[in-house]
Amino acid sequence: MILDLHRQACRCRRSPGRAGSTARRCANTLRGLEAPAYGPRKPRQAVIDPFTAYLRERVMRYPGLTGSRLFRELKDLGYGGGYTAVTDFLRDVRPAAAERGYEVRIELGKSTCGCSPGGVSKARFVVHQDLPTVLRCHAGAFEALSGAPREVLYDRMKTAVIGEGDTSGIVYNVPSSILPATMVSIPRRVGLTAPKRRQVERPFRYIREDFFLARSFRNLEDLNAQLRHWLDTVANPRVHAPTRRIVNEAFAEERAALRPLPLAPFRSVLKLERRISREGMVSVGGNF
């Protein structure tokens, strides 16, 4: 009917029930009895398109960055799309493991964490992992948690676990005389094949991938300041994937199970024996 009206020199101002522009467009498209030919549609810009160069540069430089970490970075840059669009794009551009090449090895400070079943609640980077540092971290963690647990789970940490006993059991290196009585917790060691071993190690991987990777720090104080901000704004307010609970809320319920701390702050002095050389030198921290 449109073609018939067109042949009758209809000006296509208004056909019965049809707009003139529609009739004119259809007449030009149909071209008589030939099959209609439609050109390709112009591609529409996706919401993630302005951010693809940034994502590609980040994963090429740091292949271990997670989708959730990059999604937060894009939101800070003004991205208004969804999380799935980010992970779909990363799946196509993230380099394969065999293509990542070698990594430059750097020596980093150790980290000491206080973890609950709901995730990371206390963490701090330190330079050494010797006994004095571990004890200070224990005291600092208990003070930050406002209580001391009844047991402490160690993942075969050499500073805490000296070795196996002569007959059975584990020999620990946590002197109960250093910490106040209410701070002393029963140590336990995770076996190499224990199911809880992965639960102990998982927070460290989460800290590395979601916080430490692709950041820069001026010094140790700046590192711990950024870590504290990340814990308060990202790690602890999040919904913990295995438990499906908010970390802060889960720990608030667990806090009642902690033992109260002593009224006096922890200020004990750790006594260490040192040999004096014939020249009157004492070795401290590897230096004379």
Side-chain angles (χ1 to χ4, degrees), residues 1 7 41 82 94 114 150 153 178 224 235 249 266 283:
M1 183 178 66
R7 293 191 187 98
R41 291 183 178 181
R94 191 186 296 275
R150 300 185 182 278
L153 196 63
I178 299 298
N224 282 308
E249 296 179 357
F266 170 65
S283 175

Side-chain angles (χ1 to χ4, degrees), residues 86-261:
V86 176
T87 55
D88 291 344
F89 179 79
L90 293 176
R91 193 177 298 112
D92 296 332
V93 301
R94 191 186 296 275
E99 301 174 0
R100 294 177 186 175
Y102 295 100
E103 296 182 356
V104 179
R105 176 172 177 170
I106 55 176
E107 296 296 334
L108 306 175
K110 307 297 183 181
S111 62
T112 299
C113 299
C115 308
S116 66
V120 180
S121 55
K122 171 68 171 67
R124 182 173 180 83
F125 284 91
V126 293
V127 178
H128 305 288
Q129 202 174 14
D130 53 12
L131 183 58
T133 304
V134 170
L135 292 177
R136 285 196 300 268
C137 288
H138 276 72
F142 296 161
E143 292 174 359
L145 301 177
S146 300
R150 300 185 182 278
E151 291 184 344
V152 177
L153 196 63
Y154 296 102
D155 189 14
R156 297 186 65 87
M157 182 178 174
K158 291 184 178 180
T159 312
V161 179
I162 299 178
E164 305 287 340
D166 295 334
T167 56
S168 62
I170 306 299
V171 180
Y172 293 99
N173 189 30
V174 181
S176 59
S177 60
I178 299 298
L179 294 174
T182 52
M183 281 191 177
V184 176
S185 304
I186 301 174
R188 288 181 54 197
R189 188 200 64 169
V190 181
L192 290 175
T193 59
K196 291 185 178 181
R197 179 176 175 84
R198 184 165 181 258
Q199 297 179 13
V200 174
E201 295 176 344
R202 187 64 181 88
F204 295 96
R205 177 184 172 186
Y206 172 59
I207 292 175
R208 178 185 180 276
E209 293 179 349
D210 202 276
F211 165 74
F212 190 84
L213 195 61
R215 286 180 183 262
S216 59
F217 316 99
R218 296 188 303 271
N219 47 40
L220 185 62
E221 289 72 19
D222 181 45
L223 169 60
N224 282 308
Q226 293 190 39
L227 176 63
R228 182 71 265 168
H229 178 74
W230 175 80
L231 288 172
D232 294 337
T233 59
V234 177
N236 292 335
R238 84 189 193 281
V239 177
H240 189 237
T243 60
R244 306 307 303 169
R245 302 178 63 191
I246 297 177
V247 176
N248 281 333
E249 296 179 357
F251 180 70
E253 298 178 5
E254 298 172 358
R255 191 185 298 273
L258 296 176
R259 296 180 300 166
L261 297 179

